[in-house]
Amino acid sequence: MEASLHFHGVRIPCYSRTPRLSHLSSKPWLSSVASPSRSFHAAMENACKGGSLRGNSEKKRIEAVLRGEEEEEEEEATESHGSDAAPFTCVMKFGGSSLASAERIREIAQLIVSFPDEKPVVVLSAMGKTTNNLLLAGEKAVSCGVSNASEIEELSFIKQLHLRTVRELGIDSSVISAHLEELEQLLKGIAMMKELTLRTRDYLVSFGECMSTRIFAAYLNNIGVKARQYDAFDIGFITTDDFTNADILEGTYPSVAKRLNDDWISDPAIPVVTGFLGKGSKSCAVTTLGRGGSDLTATTIGKSLGLREVQVWKDVDGVLTCDPSICPDAEPVPYLTFDEAAELAYFGAQVLHPQSMRPARDGEIPVRVKNSYNPKAPGTLITKTRDMSKAVLTSIVLKQNVTLLDIVSTRMLGQVGFLAKVFSTFEDLGISVDVVATSEVSLSLTLDPSKFWSRELIQQELDKMEEELEKIAFVNLLQRRSIISLIGNVQYSSLILEKAFHVLRTNQVNVQMISQGASKVNISLIVNDSEAEKCVKALHHAFFESDDLLVVVLESEFGNGSAALLPIET
Ligand SMILES: Nc1ncnc2c1ncn2[C@@H]1O[C@H](COP(=O)(O)OP(=O)(O)O)[C@@H](O)[C@H]1O
Ligand SMILES: N[C@@H](CC(=O)OP(=O)(O)O)C(=O)O
């Protein structure tokens, strides 16, 4: 310790060399750090268990939290750390695109320091494309043979990226060397077993976030900003045991608040938390929250600590009117409600995790989507309500490769229990339904194959579903369909539909199903996959790149010619 710095209103000692990691001594990851020569057998045992974290005592503690037995203690803790002493103001979450290199990590650290009034909890994803590379490495390991596992190309990418990054940042490579070693052993284990279970897959991808957070915390410490790394699975992120798509359990909120608050009180340091990861309540193994799950980690911490704001920093200027890879002229949407954002995410906008709005909405914590490459851009502010009086269409979202199912009742038409029977079939088979439209004689719905429990078994699962449904109905399965979701103010639904159908007719596209729910924010149109992008481009052009709609709205709202300066807001 050589100097001090005032940051977040506290006097922060500056560390010139090694990061402070002693607080991690009880963590399973650090025990690996402490003994890099950890035996192959120990690593394999952990790997084959899918990375179970702790023994019985840990399991008992989780059960106690789930039963609410720690609640009194939690409440006391929260009270005693009440708002006067509240150590944190916001969550700042940075995704893989913001952490792609040493240079980006330096910029992100500077960005955090450039907000001296904020006292952030930092949540990080894995660096760059690390999660994809880990998944690819795992898949290759299944069939490459033990002796070739060390040579898997993606393993080399991951090693090079992380070792280059620590070198360029001037950090001791020991912060990640044990993880890299264990990762290689794990891939050998997968090669030996010739299988990659969902549980092992989660353990495998967890290395990405575990390494990025250690590097970042070490770098902050090196530049004199005291930081403390946390593995989410170690600080109370308790989830269901649905590996690869786990759900956060209620006990998480008080546990996480207590841990972060208590640590700050006893030794203030910026928390740097792994996004995307949790711990299964029954298995005690590492779980993941679904792709893009760090957004959910961020809003969970926001709700848990009752923070002023959650910021998710991306590589775009906020939530845009459309996926920029389809419509390069897509514009940022300045304001959204939680409902609009949830609908947008659920129907395929990659920019936010589908479940991430839930904790924010429950805790009424505003979420701001910002661009880490362009911090001055205002971004998108997501809140409970917004002025919808001038909002027509907010955003167009595309979800491809969905399956459309047409069900026409044979024996049970119009009878009590028909729909229940159909939906119980989906429940039994663990298939989730996205869009539904019903009439007196038929039921149409869409299924998202990417949510089926095993992608390799999609056809088998569909066959099984057809077989079950054919006991009560005629079934027609139509694959390779797309859902185009028009997210906006459904008070203008006739106007939106008139315009949308005009565009689609001009482009000679037949809409195969349409659904407008009571949610008042979403109209879904189903078209063929092959026509979908063309439709989205044409719709985006009509709604956001021309003035036609402005004229129609002005005429319908104010009479022709009046209020000519009123802009259409997204
Ligand atoms: N409607 C949309 N608005 C903004 N970005 C979108 C939208 N639809 C898709 N995207 C894509 O989402 C990406 C940002 O999300 P993501 O990759 O999860 O960022 P990060 O990894 O930083 O969390 C953008 O680069 C963009 O290509
Ligand atoms: N690294 C995980 C979790 C995540 O949230 O990533 P990102 O924030 O880069 O989308 C993934 O790629 O899915």
Side-chain angles (χ1 to χ4, degrees):
M1 189 165 57
E2 284 152 3
S4 70
L5 169 93
H6 282 265
F7 185 55
H8 304 159
V10 255
R11 189 173 154 276
I12 295 167
C14 298
Y15 291 84
S16 59
R17 287 173 292 109
T18 42
R20 183 186 167 281
L21 287 168
S22 57
H23 59 280
L24 286 167
S25 56
S26 65
K27 312 285 188 290
W29 288 118
L30 194 73
S31 60
S32 326
V33 175
S35 52
S37 60
R38 191 175 174 185
S39 78
F40 173 77
H41 292 294
M44 272 310 301
E45 198 184 320
N46 204 19
C48 295
K49 280 190 290 182
S52 282
L53 296 165
R54 287 208 181 128
N56 276 344
S57 61
E58 181 63 6
K59 201 160 184 172
K60 280 189 189 137
R61 202 182 68 76
I62 291 179
E63 281 162 7
V65 171
L66 293 175
R67 283 195 308 270
E69 284 172 11
E70 283 196 1
E71 256 166 33
E72 256 174 47
E73 208 188 327
E74 310 304 349
E75 269 163 27
E76 261 171 38
T78 317
E79 261 168 42
S80 64
H81 304 159
S83 55
D84 286 351
F88 309 109
T89 57
C90 71
V91 174
M92 289 185 170
K93 178 257 165 175
F94 297 92
S97 58
S98 303
L99 298 164
S101 62
E103 194 192 339
R104 290 298 296 147
I105 287 179
R106 272 194 209 101
E107 283 169 24
I108 298 306
Q110 285 313 314
L111 195 143
I112 292 171
V113 177
S114 73
F115 292 100
D117 295 335
E118 295 290 7
K119 294 189 253 172
V121 176
V122 175
V123 172
L124 301 183
S125 301
M127 288 183 72
K129 301 268 174 236
T130 299
T131 306
N132 287 354
N133 281 329
L134 285 164
L135 286 168
L136 279 170
E139 273 155 31
K140 285 190 181 171
V142 174
S143 54
C144 73
V146 183
S147 55
N148 296 322
S150 303
E151 312 309 321
I152 293 172
E153 202 183 4
E154 286 73 15
L155 174 64
S156 306
F157 292 158
I158 293 166
K159 279 185 179 171
Q160 279 166 21
L161 173 67
H162 289 82
L163 290 172
R164 188 174 61 239
T165 303
V166 288
R167 197 175 53 246
E168 288 176 11
L169 292 174
I171 296 166
D172 195 320
S173 63
S174 64
V175 293
I176 51 158
S177 51
H179 284 81
L180 287 175
E181 216 168 281
E182 189 171 345
L183 172 61
E184 191 171 330
Q185 303 291 15
L186 175 56
L187 290 170
K188 284 186 185 163
I190 294 166
M192 195 180 281
M193 303 295 286
K194 296 190 176 60
E195 70 167 0
L196 180 57
T197 62
L198 297 184
R199 178 171 164 152
T200 306
R201 196 183 290 238
D202 273 358
Y203 186 50
L204 174 67
V205 292
S206 72
F207 282 75
E209 273 70 11
C210 288
M211 291 195 288
S212 66
T213 46
R214 280 172 171 77
I215 292 174
F216 195 75
Y219 179 67
L220 284 181
N221 281 308
N222 265 9
I223 62 167
V225 178
K226 199 169 161 194
R228 185 180 293 133
Q229 189 275 349
Y230 291 96
D231 290 323
F233 48 73
D234 239 359
I235 59 166
F237 269 84
I238 305 163
T239 71
T240 59
D241 289 276
D242 301 310
F243 295 105
T244 74
N245 201 17
D247 217 350
I248 303 267
L249 297 178
E250 275 303 307
T252 296
Y253 297 103
S255 298
V256 169
K258 178 169 166 45
R259 177 65 187 269
L260 294 180
N261 282 332
D262 284 358
D263 281 3
W264 176 276
I265 299 282
S266 59
D267 182 16
I270 295 181
V272 179
V273 185
T274 57
F276 183 48
L277 310 178
K279 178 191 286 193
S281 66
K282 295 199 179 88
S283 62
C284 289
V286 178
T287 55
T288 63
L289 308 175
R291 293 307 305 267
S294 305
D295 294 340
L296 177 57
T297 308
T299 52
T300 301
I301 293 177
K303 178 185 165 189
S304 163
L305 295 168
L307 299 181
R308 203 198 66 235
E309 179 170 292
V310 170
Q311 300 170 359
V312 286
W313 292 81
K314 307 266 169 186
D315 60 353
V316 278
D317 279 348
V319 177
L320 306 178
T321 48
C322 188
D323 182 342
S325 67
I326 303 174
C327 299
D329 292 329
E331 292 281 332
V333 180
Y335 301 102
L336 280 175
T337 62
F338 291 129
D339 289 343
E340 287 175 304
E343 206 79 3
L344 218 130
Y346 185 78
F347 280 97
Q350 295 288 324
V351 65
L352 289 169
H353 181 277
Q355 303 298 332
S356 60
M357 288 302 115
R358 218 177 40 198
R361 181 170 34 200
D362 293 351
E364 293 192 25
I365 315 288
V367 176
R368 207 179 280 277
V369 183
K370 295 273 292 175
N371 189 350
S372 68
Y373 290 80
N374 182 19
K376 291 211 170 97
T380 300
L381 181 62
I382 308 171
T383 48
K384 189 176 170 195
T385 53
R386 69 179 181 116
D387 177 8
M388 294 296 282
S389 61
K390 286 183 269 170
V392 181
L393 200 69
T394 307
S395 189
I396 302 174
V397 185
L398 175 62
K399 191 182 222 177
Q400 287 176 297
N401 193 23
V402 298
T403 296
L404 176 60
L405 200 61
D406 253 328
I407 304 171
V408 181
S409 172
T410 46
R411 290 182 292 110
M412 293 185 73
L413 184 64
Q415 285 183 30
V416 176
F418 173 62
L419 288 181
K421 203 142 181 82
V422 170
F423 283 99
S424 71
T425 307
F426 295 127
E427 191 183 1
D428 293 347
L429 297 173
I431 293 173
S432 99
V433 171
D434 286 336
V435 182
V436 185
T438 59
S439 79
E440 184 64 23
V441 289
S442 74
L443 168 66
S444 299
L445 39 84
T446 62
L447 312 170
D448 180 351
S450 69
K451 292 199 206 118
F452 287 15
W453 66 272
S454 158
R455 282 165 190 251
E456 296 89 62
L457 295 179
I458 286 173
Q459 198 49 53
Q460 269 162 269
E461 288 179 66
L462 288 174
D463 291 346
K464 175 93 185 118
M465 178 192 70
E466 239 179 321
E467 191 187 311
E468 285 300 310
L469 290 172
E470 275 170 353
K471 290 178 186 163
I472 53 164
F474 291 120
V475 180
N476 195 10
L477 202 69
L478 303 158
Q479 283 170 295
R480 287 179 292 283
R481 298 299 190 268
S482 286
I483 306 173
I484 297 176
S485 297
L486 305 174
I487 314 288
N489 185 350
V490 184
Q491 280 189 342
Y492 285 119
S493 64
S494 303
L495 177 63
I496 294 171
L497 283 168
E498 180 190 330
K499 179 111 184 154
F501 277 97
H502 175 71
V503 171
L504 296 173
R505 188 170 55 79
T506 314
N507 283 273
Q508 298 175 328
V509 173
N510 224 11
V511 175
Q512 300 173 20
M513 175 180 157
I514 169 165
S515 164
Q516 180 193 325
S519 74
K520 302 263 189 291
V521 297
N522 184 3
I523 298 171
S524 294
L525 310 169
I526 317 299
V527 300
N528 281 334
D529 262 351
S530 56
E531 300 170 314
E533 287 206 3
K534 174 180 82 176
C535 292
V536 170
K537 283 186 175 108
L539 288 166
H540 192 269
H541 182 79
F543 280 103
F544 297 107
E545 298 166 44
S546 80
D547 290 338
D548 296 2
L549 192 65
L550 178 70
V551 174
V552 182
V553 173
L554 289 176
E555 282 174 0
S556 71
E557 288 288 289
F558 304 100
N560 204 359
S562 64
L565 293 176
L566 180 74
I568 295 297
E569 288 183 359
T570 48

